[in-house]
Each structure stands twice: as C-alpha cells, then as structure tokens.
Amino acid sequence: MKKLSLLYTGKAKKVYATESPEYCIFEYKDAATAFNGQKVGFFDGKGMINNKMANAIFKLLEKDGIKTHFVEELSDRESLVKRVDIIPLEVIIRNIAAGSFCKRYGSEEGVVFDKPTIEFSYKNDALGDPLINSYHAYALKIATEEDVKTIKEMAFAINESLKKIFLKMDIRLVDFKLEFGKDVNGEIVLADEISPDTCRLWDAETNKKLDKDRFRFDMGEFSDVYFEVWNRLKECYGEV
Ligand code: TMP
Ligand code: ASP
C-alpha cells in the first residue's frame, strides 16, 4: 500500500491516507517534544526505534488477546495501521508514583501502588490536554459510558500484559499513556504507539530511567537509553 495525502502531522509522526479507506500509514520522525511541544529535540534512529518497538509490542499484545490497530511494518520508520477515529482521551495507567502524579498529590517518587490507577486527559493541545473524568467525557460527547467501560477494561488488561513483557526485559513499567480509536466497524482498538516516549520504564535492578524523562529533564543519555530498551526487546523477543 502507498502513502497518499497527508492526513495529520503529529509531534512525533505523520499520518498518511492510503488507497483503502480502511488503512493509513504512520511515518515516525526522529523528533522529540515535551511539555506540549515547548521543548524540542531529536536523535538519529528515534523514529526507527519507536516504530519497531511499538509494532513488536502490539504483536505481543495481540497474542494476549488485545485488539490493536497494527497491520504491517512497511519500513524502518513506516507502518500500515487500521484507520480509526481516535477517541480524544489520553488514557494514563500508573503502577508506581512518578511524574505529574507526584507533582499533583505531593507523593514520593517510586512508591508502588497496591492497585494501578487510571486517569484521562482530554487530548487537545490548544487546551494543554487537561485532566478530565468520565462524566466530563460524556458531557463533551467524547465517549459514551459503554466506550469508557471498554477502554478501562482494555487499559487494565494491557497493563497486565505490558508489565509482563517489560519484566522479561528487566524493566519496571512505572506508568504509560494509551490512545484508543474506533475502526471502520465501530470496534474500539488500541491505537497510536507504545514506546519510551509514552511509558516510564525503569531498570528493574537500579531504577535507572530508560525513557523520555531523560529528554524532558535533561538527564543525558537520551538516545542511549532508547537503544538500550530496543536492544533488550530484541534480545528477549527476537524480531517478534
Ligand atoms: P505524566 O506523569 O506526565 O502525567 O505522564 C504519565 C505517562 O504518560 C508517562 O509515561 C508519559 C506519558 N505521557 C505521554 O505519552 N504523552 C504526554 O503528552 C504526557 C503528558 C505523558
Ligand atoms: N508528548 C507531549 C509533548 O510533546 C508531552 C510529553 O510527552 O511530555 O509535548
């Protein structure tokens, strides 16, 4: 399938139409942004790593019965995915206190929760992706009660699979962000990407941060840790 018109330019990827209304093509960029695009950077290979890592993880999740938009890897930085209507909710699951959770609630970083948490942000750059609850989502007609029920069930199931996938790589899954979309049949599937951009990943032995926080907070070794995670994934799961 070939790339046709550009549908959408995101901060880390471009989305193109194809000759089929059922599919689109993602093209991952080497760019990195943080704090709603205020901080900008890049490294050679980031687009390749995020593309290949997201695809490998989607395939592993599919094996666990999770429906995703993934269809086929087309090149190092391009993939064919199902065309979906994105539900404009950023769905965040947390297993360990970090990031905005600590900032908002004054919690100490690294505290392990008895149960994972879930929260939603309204995916809207102009508004700065504000935190919302499910009743706000119904009021804004972003999602129905049934959609939210499905999204919650899928998000917690994805958390269980992802924790297992990363633990095999000697990585603790601290928190992550998911996006869901409705495919042409109206079915909710996992969309967007799962990568060190969208997860907090800590080394299981040392708690070294192996994710985009190294870029967000100028911690150094930004590209090194992405290659580290990608190499561990290949070692554990081969070319998936
Ligand atoms: P937070 O602690 O800053 O709310 O982030 C929670 C998780 O969501 C973390 O793994 C990073 C991810 N995330 C994104 O993927 N995109 C975003 O725009 C934000 C703010 C967080
Ligand atoms: N992805 C968001 C941005 O580009 C925020 C983040 O990941 O920190 O600005």
Side-chain angles (χ1 to χ4, degrees), residues 11 35-36 90-94 98-102 104 119 121 129 174-179 192 196-201 212-213 216:
K11 291 192 276 278
F35 310 117
N36 203 12
E90 300 205 340
V91 180
I92 292 163
I93 297 274
R94 300 178 193 271
S100 68
F101 185 93
C102 294
R104 193 175 306 122
E119 73 211 35
S121 290
D129 298 339
V174 175
D175 57 33
F176 56 96
K177 184 265 297 177
L178 301 172
E179 292 181 28
D192 194 51
D197 274 15
T198 65
C199 302
R200 282 199 175 88
L201 305 169
K212 198 167 126 182
D213 270 354
R216 290 190 187 99

Side-chain angles (χ1 to χ4, degrees), residues 174-191:
V174 175
D175 57 33
F176 56 96
K177 184 265 297 177
L178 301 172
E179 292 181 28
F180 293 88
K182 284 190 182 169
D183 69 13
V184 286
N185 305 313
E187 187 171 29
I188 295 182
V189 299
L190 178 63

